[in-house]
Amino acid sequence: MIDAYQDLGETGLGEVTATGDSLQVVFHRHYPHPVEKVWAAVTTPERLADWLANAEIDMKPGGTVRFTWNGQYKMTGRVVECEPPNVFAWTWELDGRETVVRFELAKEGDGCQLTLTHSA
């Protein structure tokens, strides 16, 4: 799987890096909203349902994260980082491999810089 991504480098959508058996995709986005509003969008079950999936989250390191799509596909992970309102990360099993999805938020100008990193 990793070999297929070796030559992607930086794309218009995100930065892809592959080292040995590891793969990382990083997205940077600016939103014209305060950090707290974007934090709510990536951590609050009601807001996550607006753009990702139905969610249940125990917001503490070691807590459980559950996502459900269309009542059928389910994913369960665990919180690995939670530093409100700047860092939230959880595990996501992908093809039998534990990966980490990490959101980092920072005030930037009139809004917020979001960095999303998915590491496998």
Side-chain angles (χ1 to χ4, degrees):
M1 174 184 111
I2 301 296
D3 292 338
Y5 299 100
Q6 292 280 342
D7 296 324
L8 289 180
E10 186 173 326
T11 70
L13 299 175
E15 301 162 10
V16 179
T17 55
T19 306
D21 223 19
S22 297
L23 179 66
Q24 179 172 285
V25 181
V26 180
F27 299 90
H28 301 280
R29 298 292 184 267
H30 176 83
Y31 293 100
H33 306 291
V35 167
E36 293 76 17
K37 185 169 185 173
V38 179
W39 176 259
V42 300
T43 62
T44 305
E46 297 80 18
R47 296 295 63 83
L48 283 162
D50 291 339
W51 66 274
L52 179 62
N54 291 324
E56 297 174 37
I57 304 173
D58 182 6
M59 291 289 295
K60 65 181 181 212
T64 301
V65 177
R66 287 187 184 88
F67 294 109
T68 305
W69 292 265
N70 299 323
Q72 296 175 0
Y73 177 73
K74 298 177 182 183
M75 189 286 301
T76 300
R78 67 183 159 70
V79 175
V80 293
E81 269 185 285
C82 186
E83 299 172 19
N86 301 103
V87 179
F88 181 53
W90 70 81
T91 61
W92 184 307
E93 188 174 317
L94 187 62
D95 294 331
R97 182 179 192 160
E98 184 175 86
T99 69
V100 174
V101 176
R102 184 176 192 272
F103 292 92
E104 184 172 355
L105 305 171
K107 182 172 175 37
E108 181 180 80
D110 63 344
C112 169
Q113 173 74 24
L114 176 139
T115 302
L116 167 61
T117 305
H118 190 176
S119 302

